[in-house]
Amino acid sequence: MKQSRVLFPINLVLLFAAATQALRPVARMQRRAPVRMAADVLASDRILIAPALATSNVAKLGEEAQAAVAAGADCLHFNVMDGHHTEKLTWGPMMVKALRAYGVEAPIDVQLTCGKEIVDVQIEEFAAAGASYITFHAEGTRNIDRSLGLIASLGCKCGVVLNPSTPTSYLENVMHKVDIILLMSNNPGFKGQVFQDSVYEKARKVRKMIDESGRPIRLEVDGGAGLKNIEQLAACGIDMFVVGRAVFHADDYGTAVAELRALAEKGRALGTG
């Protein structure tokens, strides 16, 4: 019994050391991507590819993030699940802070899949850690308008996430505030879900709302986007893509990003043609 009590904390220390080794700083860097740079990426005309870090080799998270950016990724997607709003529990703001310390300067796109009781606290913590863009689920806040204003006040770009069953009416009174609208093509936090084709029609509807607003709002999708459907998604008006396995499970990240972007550009041309 004495031996197990001694080994347990030692094992914890070793585990923590191994987990942080991949994120060891190589130089002192800014906490977040320069605000101007992050804003310029979002305001550009290019299709944005945002690899999801949750599908990377997390033991080498800093290395994987830098490799994705070097391969042509525009920003990095960081999905935060609190274990209450969804069944899954992922990671917290210290991981974003560690990525910044490691030297990652690319915009970090944080999606807060959190309960309404803590979302505003999480907004503040992730902004302080170095997030560039912060979105939250429409059902995951007590006040959409207030949470959007909080994100903007902290120097980050803000947005709202709509699950497959969430109506677009949530957007009607906040179109003047959002920078990003993120459509989920499956329900977050559950394994083995299939891509829901209903996102195509929803994307067309939201794209129409964006065009009518006259504002440069990004339309993002998360949940199963890849080589098989990115062209069709882009034809429906989506111009920002969260991709996971399509990049981090590819043999060559650069080739994967280039193929995804080319197909999306083709789809956008078809949609506007």
Side-chain angles (χ1 to χ4, degrees):
M1 291 298 292
K2 289 184 179 179
Q3 184 181 22
S4 64
R5 283 197 295 269
V6 172
L7 288 177
F8 183 67
I10 291 175
N11 287 339
L12 281 181
V13 170
L14 291 174
L15 179 62
F16 178 78
T20 55
Q21 177 67 24
L23 293 171
R24 187 173 56 187
V26 295
R28 284 188 70 85
M29 294 285 181
Q30 295 185 44
R31 286 190 307 169
R32 69 156 58 93
V35 173
R36 185 69 261 162
M37 170 189 155
D40 287 346
V41 168
L42 212 60
S44 70
D45 292 331
R46 65 192 273 117
I47 290 287
L48 300 185
I49 304 296
L53 289 169
T55 60
S56 69
N57 181 351
V58 178
K60 299 180 178 180
L61 190 61
E63 201 176 308
E64 288 276 74
Q66 293 286 48
V69 174
D74 301 284
C75 54
L76 300 165
H77 190 75
F78 200 89
N79 197 346
V80 179
M81 300 183 188
D82 66 354
H84 295 280
H85 194 75
T86 64
E87 291 181 347
K88 286 186 178 179
L89 175 66
T90 55
W91 34 29
M94 69 173 61
M95 299 301 287
V96 171
K97 186 176 181 180
L99 285 171
R100 292 304 188 205
Y102 186 84
V104 175
E105 291 189 297
I108 294 179
D109 175 32
V110 173
Q111 178 191 158
L112 295 177
T113 309
C114 300
K116 61 181 66 178
E117 299 81 9
I118 65 169
V119 69
D120 287 345
V121 173
Q122 293 301 309
I123 286 169
E124 292 177 344
E125 292 192 359
F126 275 94
S132 309
Y133 319 137
I134 301 178
T135 59
F136 57 87
H137 287 249
E139 300 91 346
T141 177
R142 291 191 175 100
N143 188 305
I144 292 179
D145 187 73
R146 184 177 63 197
S147 294
L148 287 170
L150 176 60
I151 296 170
S153 73
L154 296 170
C156 300
K157 295 298 183 180
C158 61
V160 175
V161 184
L162 302 183
N163 286 323
S165 62
T166 305
T168 58
S169 57
Y170 274 94
L171 302 172
E172 291 175 0
N173 295 315
V174 294
M175 292 296 290
H176 63 293
K177 285 197 168 186
V178 294
D179 302 300
I180 301 168
I181 297 169
L182 172 53
L183 303 182
M184 296 299 301
S185 51
N186 54 35
N187 290 301
F190 301 93
K191 291 182 179 179
Q193 291 192 85
V194 297
F195 177 89
Q196 295 192 23
D197 290 341
S198 59
V199 73
Y200 294 124
E201 184 55 38
K202 196 169 196 174
R204 294 187 192 97
K205 184 175 182 179
V206 176
R207 171 51 61 189
K208 186 171 184 285
M209 294 173 70
I210 291 172
D211 292 344
E212 290 175 350
S213 77
R215 297 190 63 247
I217 300 168
R218 283 286 182 171
L219 182 54
E220 186 175 19
V221 68
D222 180 20
L227 293 171
K228 292 181 179 180
N229 55 20
I230 195 169
E231 182 177 337
Q232 187 174 354
L233 287 165
C236 295
I238 293 171
D239 54 19
M240 186 172 180
F241 298 88
V242 177
V243 291
R245 297 175 184 274
V247 172
F248 285 121
H249 289 210
D251 292 332
D252 185 287
Y253 294 178
T255 299
V257 171
E259 289 178 350
L260 288 164
R261 196 187 307 281
L263 286 170
E265 292 287 5
K266 181 180 177 183
R268 179 161 69 174
L270 291 172
T272 57

